[in-house]
Amino acid sequence: MAKVSKIVSNQKKIKKANKYDSIRLSLRKKIRDCNIPLKNRMEAIKELQNLGVNYKLRVRNRCWKTGRPRGYLRYFGLSRINFREMAAAGCLPGIRKLS
């Protein structure tokens, strides 16, 4: 199981990414629009720079059960280890062991 501090810091990053996502998208749209005057586009660039780092890039995919960052299966939201255990136990619908 991952350290609780790592899981909590990742959750904070997710919150921050969701909070500023709409603002960041509107500013980027404004910057790319050629019909807006250059002065307004430059102001939008400065606002975007003042927002800070893009936290969407800093979010780490983690297993929802244990918080393990490696061997993550995106479709299930589980690590490979937990996926195998749950599939063998029959907890995942539609998944069966092949052999």
Side-chain angles (χ1 to χ4, degrees), residues 51-69:
L51 276 181
V53 289
N54 189 352
Y55 279 94
K56 234 180 192 180
L57 299 175
R58 293 176 173 240
V59 172
R60 182 91 161 124
N61 288 331
R62 291 184 174 272
C63 174
W64 61 265
K65 196 172 179 185
T66 59
R68 180 182 166 86

Side-chain angles (χ1 to χ4, degrees), residues 37-55:
L38 183 63
K39 184 180 177 183
N40 294 348
R41 287 166 57 192
M42 294 303 282
E43 289 173 5
I45 289 172
K46 285 187 179 179
E47 283 180 48
L48 187 62
Q49 287 172 346
N50 289 337
L51 276 181
V53 289
N54 189 352
Y55 279 94

Side-chain angles (χ1 to χ4, degrees), residues 14-57:
I14 291 169
K15 272 187 181 178
K16 219 171 208 184
N18 292 336
K19 181 180 178 183
Y20 292 111
D21 194 34
S22 60
I23 298 168
R24 188 175 297 282
L25 284 174
S26 65
L27 286 173
R28 290 182 73 200
K29 200 179 281 187
K30 198 180 218 182
I31 291 167
R32 289 189 180 130
D33 191 6
C34 295
N35 299 328
I36 296 174
L38 183 63
K39 184 180 177 183
N40 294 348
R41 287 166 57 192
M42 294 303 282
E43 289 173 5
I45 289 172
K46 285 187 179 179
E47 283 180 48
L48 187 62
Q49 287 172 346
N50 289 337
L51 276 181
V53 289
N54 189 352
Y55 279 94
K56 234 180 192 180
L57 299 175

